[in-house]
Amino acid sequence: GREKARLQRAVLEAVPPGESLATAEETARRTLAEAESYLTAGNYAAARERLERILRDVDPNHPGAFYGLALLASLAQDREQAKQYFLRTLEQAREPHLLGWTHVYLGRIYDLEGHREQALAHYRAALALDTRLERVEQAARRGLERPFGQKEEPEAPTPRF
């Protein structure tokens, strides 16, 4: 009972004064959509600002914001920062599609770092989820078949006699 009360207080403390939980969730959704639009348009600074605003003003553990920051770090080729944000996403997310893509991206990072066993564990975890997203499943299966970043071996030429 005490733990439940503590968690309820923690959720309420994450909601800015004067906002209801429903309003805070709507604010996070709206701000996340703005960040996604900026990310798609290539305006990474504006996307980052929106994602950081969610963590600062709405929910310091928002999985979508962590995921977005992980994508931005990946685009900047900052693997270590991306990995940290993806791991935070795994800690907070409950949505199968978000978990699925997070596992795929972590698998890719571990592949690039040469940690094949860790990569395989993440690809398998992505496939174990009920994401209902064919692209997640395809990406995870490709990761199981060969390490991410490794070029497919060209076929040996047929010898001529």
Side-chain angles (χ1 to χ4, degrees):
R2 288 190 333 194
E3 182 64 12
K4 185 176 180 182
R6 186 190 70 75
L7 287 172
Q8 286 174 331
R9 281 193 308 276
V11 168
L12 292 175
E13 288 169 4
V15 177
E19 279 194 42
S20 69
L21 184 57
T23 304
E25 288 173 7
E26 180 55 39
T27 299
R29 252 191 310 278
R30 185 179 60 250
T31 308
L32 199 56
E34 289 174 12
E36 187 175 352
S37 293
Y38 283 121
L39 181 68
T40 302
N43 188 342
Y44 302 146
R48 176 177 302 286
E49 187 278 326
R50 297 313 187 280
L51 296 166
E52 290 173 347
R53 184 187 314 164
I54 292 170
L55 295 174
R56 182 186 64 239
D57 297 343
V58 180
D59 179 358
N61 294 307
H62 194 281
F66 287 136
Y67 180 79
L69 289 168
L71 292 178
L72 287 170
S74 293
L75 289 167
Q77 297 183 3
D78 185 347
R79 272 190 230 146
E80 193 54 40
Q81 187 69 63
K83 186 174 15 173
Q84 295 310 312
Y85 281 128
F86 281 129
L87 290 171
R88 294 287 306 269
T89 303
L90 282 184
E91 291 172 3
Q92 302 300 323
R94 299 294 168 257
E95 302 86 358
H97 71 280
L98 196 57
L99 291 167
W101 278 119
T102 299
H103 279 298
V104 166
Y105 282 120
L106 280 168
R108 290 174 176 177
I109 289 170
Y110 285 119
D111 267 340
L112 291 170
E113 292 177 343
H115 301 291
R116 186 66 177 147
E117 290 306 313
Q118 287 177 286
L120 290 171
H122 282 287
Y123 296 135
R124 288 182 189 118
L127 287 171
L129 295 166
D130 186 18
T131 65
R132 298 192 176 142
L133 293 175
E134 188 175 326
R135 290 180 58 206
V136 169
E137 292 174 10
Q138 288 173 346
R141 282 192 186 96
R142 275 193 309 273
L144 289 174
E145 290 169 7
R146 82 175 160 274
F148 180 77
Q150 179 182 6
K151 301 286 185 208
E152 193 170 334
E153 293 294 321
E155 287 187 32
T158 307
R160 292 198 170 132
F161 296 98

